[in-house]
Amino acid sequence: MPPQKIIIDTDPGIDDSMAIFFALSSPELEVIGLTTVFGNVHVDLAATNALRLLEIAGRTDIPVAKGAANSLVGDYDNPPAHIHGDDGQGNVHLPPPAGKPIDQTSAQFIVEQVMSNPGEITLVPIGPLTNIALALRLEPRIAQNVKQVVLMGGNALVPGNSTPAAEANIKDDPEAADVVFGAGWPLTMVGLDVTTKAVVTDEQLQSYARSSSPMAQHIARICPFYLDFSRRVNGNAVGGLLVHDSTAVAYLLVPDAFTVKSWPVRVETQGMSRGKTWPMVRPNTRATYWHNRPNVNVCVDIDSARTIALEFSRVAP
Ligand code: BDR
Ligand code: CA
């Protein structure tokens, strides 16, 4: 089987870095581009970090595109430096990259790649969904020409993490997310229902430090900052570090490690629940909000021991 061609749409980001390295280390996947978006950092820094990560991985052949700086409806001024560091990389302050982003925007790159490789490209958004909504706006036929979309974001049956209602990626652009969930393409939501079960322990992190791989070494450098944040917020309740974004990559590799439901999903855009993903969990003829909405796959459970072990075996062999 030829490798599955993927475009990772990302806001790197500590767990984004882990996901990118996981994908680059997996022979079943061919990363054909990194498209960047605001989120964990402003978009200029997201593109810079993507270039830096590819240099660490020795994969400067992979193009990086710079995309949306703001959500569809508002300015973005709130990067979570307390979670990912001022530099998005745990304040390790990497040197500037040698390369630069391509001239195309993230949305233009996605459209060009999907339309010139019909049925072949999988989109893996692991940040706010703005670039993906902009790509749909630019060329709606990508919905029929993509292979699938596997995104990290949302919360179906569990609370949010950015607010009590909403997960961070969806909260950062709910209008874009509602477009993406409604586009009628094969879509899988890898949200907090499963990513909050994907915990990497201290001991496992130490094994990254022992690996000679530059990717594993980088992860070992940036993760302590993220772990400190997690401990400040959760105490020892979580027992380690949540690898949200890597879990979307794991879905591509071992989908049978996930329990999946097929539901239509709407995204709340108003009030205190702004950014909440609402699946219609029971057929209900009075549920007008979901009228004519396509079903998507929603991951509700995971064999996380298996997905985490797989990530280790790839990134820190
Ligand atoms: C998501 O938000 C970001 O902080 C992470 O990188 C991940 O994509 C988790 O809610
Ligand atoms: Ca992310």
Side-chain angles (χ1 to χ4, degrees):
M1 277 258 281
Q4 187 174 173
K5 290 185 168 66
I6 69 170
I7 297 173
I8 303 179
D9 189 71
T10 176
D11 57 339
I14 291 175
D15 62 325
D16 299 74
S17 307
M18 299 176 85
I20 290 165
F21 288 165
F22 187 15
L24 291 173
S25 308
S26 295
E28 303 91 336
L29 304 176
E30 180 187 352
V31 180
I32 65 162
L34 298 182
T35 54
T36 55
V37 64
F38 75 92
N40 291 326
V41 289
H42 286 294
V43 72
D44 286 341
L45 185 51
T48 299
N49 283 347
L51 291 161
R52 287 167 161 154
L53 292 168
L54 291 174
E55 286 181 3
I56 290 168
R59 292 300 309 275
T60 52
D61 56 304
I62 297 174
V64 171
K66 192 166 79 176
N70 297 299
S71 71
L72 293 185
V73 299
D75 289 346
Y76 186 66
D77 60 1
N78 197 21
H82 59 298
I83 304 175
H84 296 271
D86 295 324
D87 63 350
Q89 295 290 296
N91 286 341
V92 299
H93 296 294
L94 294 164
K100 58 183 182 52
I102 59 175
D103 289 336
Q104 286 175 305
T105 65
S106 295
Q108 288 168 338
F109 179 80
I110 288 167
V111 167
E112 183 199 75
Q113 292 299 319
V114 170
M115 295 310 287
S116 56
N117 299 279
E120 283 189 30
I121 308 288
T122 293
L123 302 179
V124 188
I126 55 175
L129 291 167
T130 319
N131 288 336
I132 313 302
L134 289 173
L136 280 165
R137 198 182 270 177
L138 198 60
E139 178 47 275
R141 290 177 302 162
I142 64 170
Q144 291 81 49
N145 286 279
V146 80
K147 180 178 165 74
Q148 61 172 336
V149 180
V150 176
L151 66 88
M152 190 283 133
N155 52 310
L157 308 175
V158 300
N161 59 357
S162 176
T163 70
E167 184 278 328
N169 289 340
I170 307 299
K171 172 71 172 40
D172 279 345
D173 198 341
E175 284 78 10
D178 199 46
V179 168
V180 171
F181 278 98
W185 47 10
L187 182 146
T188 300
M189 170 178 140
V190 182
L192 297 180
D193 302 78
V194 289
T195 68
T196 51
K197 295 175 182 164
V199 184
V200 171
T201 63
D202 277 340
E203 295 71 39
Q204 289 170 318
L205 276 180
Q206 281 156 22
S207 67
Y208 276 118
R210 285 193 295 272
S211 166
S212 59
S213 144
M215 290 187 273
Q217 287 285 321
H218 183 66
I219 290 171
R221 280 181 76 200
I222 64 179
C223 278
F225 190 94
Y226 192 41
L227 196 55
D228 283 351
F229 159 76
S230 175
R231 292 253 154 77
R232 279 198 307 279
V233 173
N234 304 308
N236 285 324
V238 170
L241 181 153
L242 298 178
V243 286
H244 297 289
D245 291 340
S246 295
T247 309
V249 175
Y251 180 84
L252 297 175
L253 300 169
V254 284
D256 59 325
F258 293 77
T259 305
V260 177
K261 300 284 189 185
S262 178
W263 291 318
V265 169
R266 288 303 309 265
V267 180
E268 176 61 78
T269 57
Q270 307 293 322
M272 65 187 277
S273 301
R274 184 169 159 78
K276 166 76 178 106
T277 46
W278 280 117
M280 191 177 76
V281 295
R282 288 191 193 88
N284 180 345
T285 50
R286 295 176 63 201
T288 51
Y289 291 114
W290 292 270
H291 184 62
N292 276 344
R293 290 282 288 198
N295 278 27
V296 299
N297 294 323
V298 178
C299 294
V300 294
D301 206 359
I302 181 175
D303 178 353
S304 58
R306 187 170 163 210
T307 60
I308 300 256
L310 180 64
E311 183 167 357
F312 270 100
S313 71
R314 296 293 167 85
V315 183

